[in-house]
Amino acid sequence: MKKIGFVIPWYADAIPGGAEMELREVSSHLHYAGVAVEILTTCVKEFGSDWSVNYYKEGEDSTANGITIRRFKVRKRDNAAFDAVNAKLMAKTPITPEEEETFLREMVNSPDLYAYMSEHVDDYSLFVFIPYMFGTTYYGAQVCPYKSVLIPCFHDEAYAYIGKFKELFPKTAGMVFNAHPEAELAERLYGFSHSSTKTIVMGIGMDTDIVPDPAAFREKFKVKEPFILYAGRKDEGKNVHTLVKYYAEYIKRRETDLRLILIGGGQIELPEELVKSGRILDLGFVDRQDKYNAQGAAEFLCQPSKNESFSLVIMESWLCGRPVLVHADCAVTRNFASESNGGLYFGNYFEFEGCTDYILEHKNEAWMMGSNGKNYVMKNFDWDVIVDKYKRFFADITGESEK
């Protein structure tokens, strides 16, 4: 098999979370398994920077693992035109085909990248694009759809309903989904079963050798009481405010010393009296081992987000032996909890209260849920499993040997 070119709008070893981390992990593990991989990206720094600014020098670079990065300059864009259409999409207001063209044309784009792909198409077995909504994916996949595979990270959001995507995606060679509900959404929107596009529910690989030390967490952060853990970005998009609100209501209704501990970046308004009293503890960023120790020490991890295509922290919690509580409105995390029998889900306050009561009052069952979850991760998302599935899927698409 020739090279696999992973295409992403921006790339850096230090970018945490999201599609960037998924690509970094997938490409690294394939590289270690002997697959020739490269990363094709722009000179833009990251998602939150100006998409018209070439922060990095164009040309060849390399990752910390020695994988070649090829960076290409972006062209200037009409921010105002893009923002006007994007505002409609965010408000779920229908847009015209002309506005779709504006949205795709005026986001992050690199004609130099597309020209390189066209000139060197024979050097690559496949181009793998992540995520779905950016110009680098839309225009890049049109260079050679028969060699294009997407790791789309679809959500049920306005962007997924763009007509231009419905025209293009069923012409591509393959789709790699992170979870069954994502695949079901994609089938409903794009009808892949009626196209030649090959699809697979892959998931995201996990390093499964996590060893938590709950006692070390409690000693380091002076936590003696039982606690609910939230791990991740703290903003309303992750629905953390609902968890905070429900926790505050719960401790009003129960005689309990249960605490809520938050770890991760971002900021959200927290009840001042609960912070001052120590009932809510926001630790911000902690190192990886501290995170694992916290997950092992928690009564359960609560992932309240309604919009996930996967959830690394849920898998980590299970690897640390603890159950999870997820939101019923997130099809992906609810499916994980149900399929694994590793957790519960809630849709309103009283369901949250009942689930919390159950986990706190049924220690053996909570332990079993954590154990079920760990077995589920080991069976489906250990990196050896994921790498083997990627190699077989790519070989199936190209008709080439896995070697």
Side-chain angles (χ1 to χ4, degrees):
M1 186 176 289
K2 291 180 281 188
K3 293 184 291 187
I4 304 295
F6 284 90
V7 185
I8 192 166
W10 33 75
Y11 182 88
D13 287 330
I15 296 178
E20 297 85 358
M21 185 170 74
E22 182 171 355
L23 178 142
R24 184 165 61 246
E25 292 293 322
V26 169
S27 61
S28 295
H29 282 85
L30 287 173
H31 171 68
Y32 290 140
V35 179
V37 299
E38 287 186 351
I39 294 170
L40 310 179
T41 189
T42 73
C43 298
V44 173
K45 183 180 181 182
E46 59 190 0
F47 174 80
S49 59
D50 189 331
W51 296 352
S52 293
V53 173
N54 292 295
Y55 175 84
Y56 291 103
K57 183 180 178 181
E58 68 176 325
E60 287 192 29
D61 197 352
S62 63
T63 71
N65 299 319
I67 299 171
T68 296
I69 305 173
R70 299 186 188 275
R71 298 190 188 274
F72 300 88
K73 286 186 175 181
V74 289
R75 65 165 176 78
K76 296 293 183 182
R77 46 193 292 273
D78 186 335
N79 291 9
F82 174 84
D83 290 346
V85 179
N86 193 43
K88 285 188 173 184
L89 287 166
M90 293 178 69
K92 300 182 180 180
T93 301
I95 62 174
T96 66
E98 292 74 22
E99 287 174 318
E100 289 186 1
E101 290 182 3
T102 298
F103 174 82
L104 293 163
R105 183 180 63 248
E106 301 304 339
M107 64 153 45
V108 57
N109 269 304
S110 173
D112 290 349
L113 167 60
Y114 315 140
Y116 171 86
M117 292 172 58
S118 181
E119 293 167 9
H120 295 271
V121 65
D122 291 337
D123 297 338
Y124 296 84
S125 287
L126 293 170
F127 295 104
V128 181
F129 300 86
I130 183 173
Y132 79 95
M133 70 171 66
F134 293 97
T136 48
T137 296
Y138 177 72
Y139 292 105
Q142 293 182 62
V143 172
C144 48
Y146 65 95
K147 282 193 174 185
S148 296
V149 174
L150 271 66
I151 307 175
C153 306
F154 287 129
H155 298 298
D156 193 353
E157 58 192 354
Y159 305 105
Y161 291 81
I162 288 176
K164 299 294 183 184
F165 293 155
K166 188 172 184 178
E167 294 173 7
L168 173 63
F169 293 162
K171 298 176 182 177
T172 58
M175 289 276 160
V176 177
F177 302 117
N178 289 330
H180 288 288
E182 182 192 3
E184 292 164 3
L185 170 66
E187 175 60 26
R188 176 164 60 85
L189 294 180
Y190 309 115
F192 288 119
S193 63
H194 303 293
S195 75
S196 61
T197 305
K198 295 182 182 294
T199 64
I200 187 171
V201 177
M202 182 77 66
I204 298 177
M206 297 292 303
D207 293 318
T208 56
D209 57 351
I210 293 173
V211 180
D213 187 341
F217 175 81
R218 291 187 176 282
E219 181 178 356
K220 181 173 181 177
F221 295 99
K222 310 303 179 187
V223 176
K224 296 180 180 179
E225 302 82 4
F227 63 91
I228 300 170
L229 180 68
Y230 172 81
R233 191 173 74 249
K234 297 187 291 291
D235 63 39
E236 291 202 359
K238 290 292 186 179
N239 203 30
V240 187
H241 61 292
T242 296
L243 170 59
V244 172
K245 177 183 176 182
Y246 286 3
Y247 166 76
E249 182 66 21
Y250 183 84
I251 62 174
K252 284 182 182 177
R253 292 170 171 264
R254 295 288 185 274
E255 292 186 8
T256 178
D257 58 355
L258 182 70
R259 299 175 72 178
L260 173 62
I261 296 181
L262 312 172
I263 59 177
Q267 292 184 335
I268 191 168
E269 186 175 348
L270 299 171
E272 185 176 353
E273 69 279 8
L274 296 183
V275 173
K276 285 184 176 180
S277 67
R279 298 303 299 268
I280 295 179
L281 178 61
D282 184 358
L283 297 177
F285 280 112
V286 298
D287 67 33
R288 183 175 297 184
Q289 189 59 50
D290 283 338
K291 178 176 67 168
Y292 298 154
N293 294 346
Q295 289 169 321
E299 297 298 313
F300 61 89
L301 174 97
C302 185
Q303 168 55 290
S305 174
K306 299 180 182 181
N307 201 21
E308 297 292 312
S309 62
F310 198 75
S311 178
L312 293 173
V313 293
I314 284 177
M315 305 302 158
E316 289 169 348
S317 179
W318 282 335
L319 289 170
C320 292
R322 302 310 301 154
V324 301
L325 179 60
V326 304
H327 203 287
D329 289 349
C330 182
V332 168
T333 57
R334 187 183 71 237
N335 177 74
F336 282 147
S338 298
E339 194 171 69
S340 66
N341 199 20
L344 305 174
Y345 52 86
F346 67 97
N348 55 47
Y349 169 74
F350 290 104
E351 290 177 357
F352 174 88
E353 179 182 272
C355 290
T356 300
D357 284 346
Y358 183 86
I359 293 174
L360 295 180
E361 295 169 5
H362 296 81
K363 301 294 185 182
N364 289 338
E365 287 80 357
W367 179 88
M368 280 300 301
M369 283 191 282
S371 180
N372 291 340
K374 182 172 183 176
N375 291 336
Y376 179 74
V377 178
M378 298 292 289
K379 179 181 178 181
N380 293 283
F381 305 121
D382 180 85
W383 268 115
D384 288 343
V385 174
I386 294 295
V387 166
D388 183 64
K389 288 171 70 174
Y390 263 110
K391 291 170 70 175
R392 290 177 182 275
F393 185 63
F394 289 162
D396 183 38
I397 290 174
T398 63
E400 300 176 73
S401 169
E402 295 178 37
K403 303 297 184 183

